[in-house]
Amino acid sequence: RQMDSILQEKDLQQLKMVCLVPPNVKKLPDWKNIRIQRVGINSGFLWEQMDLPLSVRGGFLFSPANVGPLFYGNQAVTFHDASIFAIPEAYTPLFQTKYRLVFNSLVRIARLVITDSRFSQDQFSHYLGVPASRFSVIPLGGDHLNQTQPDPGILQRNGLNFSFR
């Protein structure tokens, strides 16, 4: 939603961005500047690893959430944190195995690897054995939160009563 808004504000509609989604996605956003296209026949990991790279067909792919096609180099991928390495006991063995494979593969093949802090840059560099310069640091934005109205009753409705002393 924020990217769609930025494209409008900065008059960048000529970028022709397309959001590719699996065929089984039910609720799609109502964007004005980013076209949404259902592609492939699979869902989940198979969609991400097979259908998505076939659908991109040589185009540039932006994978914003830790994962992306493992055998598609023309992409920017965002790694958010290295907790899978730093606190492995917080994750199941299967989850650990998947993300170790993903991070180790993508850091070596993706055209651009983004992380959102210098701390994460250092952590990934250490755990993946690559130079810190391999990562572009782009801090997360919070401007979209300015559009959200506060709800003072949310804590009480969810049984989360706190007293601050």
Side-chain angles (χ1 to χ4, degrees), residues 100-126:
R100 287 174 187 267
L101 172 69
V102 166
F103 287 143
N104 275 293
S105 296
L106 290 176
V107 77
R108 286 162 175 72
I109 68 155
R111 186 191 314 172
L112 177 63
V113 183
I114 300 166
T115 192
D116 41 52
S117 71
R118 297 269 181 232
F119 177 78
S120 290
Q121 178 188 39
D122 291 343
Q123 290 281 288
F124 280 118
S125 174
H126 169 74

Side-chain angles (χ1 to χ4, degrees), residues 17-70:
M17 294 183 80
V18 178
C19 178
L20 303 177
V21 298
N24 61 339
V25 172
K26 302 284 187 252
K27 186 177 178 184
L28 297 174
D30 183 25
W31 291 334
K32 294 175 178 57
N33 304 293
I34 301 174
R35 186 169 55 93
I36 300 169
Q37 181 179 342
R38 284 183 163 87
V39 298
I41 58 172
N42 296 297
S43 62
F45 189 74
L46 282 178
W47 180 84
E48 172 188 281
Q49 298 303 317
M50 295 174 62
D51 298 346
L52 182 57
L54 287 172
S55 299
V56 174
R57 291 186 180 90
F60 187 71
L61 176 66
F62 173 50
S63 301
N66 289 328
V67 295
L70 300 179

